[in-house]
Amino acid sequence: MKEKFFERKAELLEAALEEFISKNYENASLNNIIKNAEISKGTFYYHFQDKQALYLFLLESSAKTKWEFVSSRIDGYTEAYEGKDIFEKFKMQARIGAEFAVAFPKFYRLSKMFTREKGNKIYDIAKSVLGSDTEKLLEEMIDKAIENGDFKKEFSKEFIVKTISYLFIHFDEIFYRPEDFELEKMIENLDCYVDFMKGGLGK
């Protein structure tokens, strides 16, 4: 995006967020975004090349905001979870994630919609731009947890990674009511969710 300020930048980004959190990338309409932002097409194309550029800008903004948020919270949890098994570490990460979801609900929903783009071209393009690899970090955590004996031996690493990834990605399809997104309720649900994983996968 060109850095030059324009009057309705905030309105454009807000309209784009609303569109991308309510529809998948393919079905999201750039015309709707421009109309709802009340800007001209000329203004849009002066600042963004196309819908993809706008989408990637929002994903980058979301990732930057989350990184800054997590960095400001992590020290308060790390010491308490030192030496704990992977499931307790998942709880720590889930709590920080819940705090982020409450503080930035639209960025949270954008990231959830993005995970469901896996298998589509835009997913690979975005991953190459964002540079972070959550799946790789999860695999590294699971490798260490296997070494520490946190999982039942009958489950392969591939099975564990796929199962845990799926469960976390689809968490909000189970807990979707407005009251489930209150911070304390979300943390309670996440703690139970992780305990459920531990009951099936943990040693």
Side-chain angles (χ1 to χ4, degrees):
M1 185 187 78
K2 295 189 177 182
E3 290 299 320
K4 185 178 178 182
F5 172 80
F6 65 101
E7 187 176 347
R8 300 192 65 81
K9 175 182 177 181
E11 287 83 356
L12 172 61
L13 297 180
E14 181 65 21
L17 261 179
E18 288 291 343
E19 188 75 5
F20 288 124
I21 66 177
S22 60
K23 300 173 185 173
N24 62 29
Y25 176 78
E26 185 66 28
N27 292 331
S29 167
L30 182 56
N31 286 333
N32 281 349
I33 293 170
I34 291 171
K35 178 182 176 182
N36 292 333
E38 298 181 359
I39 63 172
S40 69
K41 287 189 176 182
T43 298
F44 173 81
Y45 284 112
Y46 180 75
H47 294 281
F48 291 94
Q49 183 177 349
D50 50 24
K51 181 175 81 169
Q52 178 178 298
L54 176 60
Y55 183 63
L56 294 177
F57 179 82
L58 286 176
L59 288 176
E60 287 181 292
S61 297
S62 175
K64 182 175 183 289
T65 301
K66 186 171 185 179
W67 184 87
E68 292 172 349
F69 185 91
V70 170
S71 295
S72 70
R73 296 291 193 278
I74 195 77
D75 288 343
Y77 288 99
T78 302
E79 188 175 339
Y81 284 84
E82 194 69 33
K84 303 288 186 179
D85 66 18
I86 193 172
F87 299 101
E88 291 303 312
K89 290 175 182 175
F90 281 156
K91 287 183 180 181
M92 175 190 73
Q93 294 173 341
R95 284 167 185 261
I96 296 173
E99 291 176 1
F100 177 78
V102 170
F104 300 94
K106 290 183 180 179
F107 277 160
Y108 170 76
R109 289 172 62 188
L110 179 68
S111 68
K112 298 300 287 186
M113 289 294 287
F114 173 65
T115 60
R116 293 169 194 165
E117 295 289 347
K118 192 170 184 180
N120 297 328
K121 183 179 179 181
I122 189 62
Y123 183 87
D124 294 329
I125 292 170
K127 293 295 278 186
S128 68
V129 170
L130 295 172
S132 61
D133 194 342
T134 303
E135 292 171 4
K136 184 177 179 181
L137 292 174
L138 177 61
E139 285 194 38
E140 289 174 356
M141 283 186 70
I142 288 174
D143 278 336
K144 189 172 182 180
I146 290 172
E147 289 179 13
N148 293 337
D150 292 345
F151 294 108
K152 294 174 182 173
K153 291 184 178 180
E154 59 261 39
F155 298 125
S156 69
K157 172 188 166 182
E158 182 183 12
F159 177 83
I160 294 168
V161 170
K162 287 184 176 180
T163 301
I164 289 175
S165 294
Y166 183 89
L167 288 171
F168 277 130
I169 288 170
H170 294 277
F171 170 81
D172 63 337
E173 293 178 17
I174 302 173
F175 304 101
Y176 59 86
R177 300 170 304 171
E179 57 266 35
D180 289 329
F181 283 85
E182 295 172 3
L183 181 58
E184 292 305 317
K185 186 63 177 176
M186 187 180 289
I187 290 173
E188 178 187 340
N189 286 335
L190 282 164
D191 281 350
C192 290
Y193 205 58
V194 173
D195 286 339
F196 169 78
M197 290 184 203
K198 185 173 183 177
L201 298 169
K203 189 172 179 181

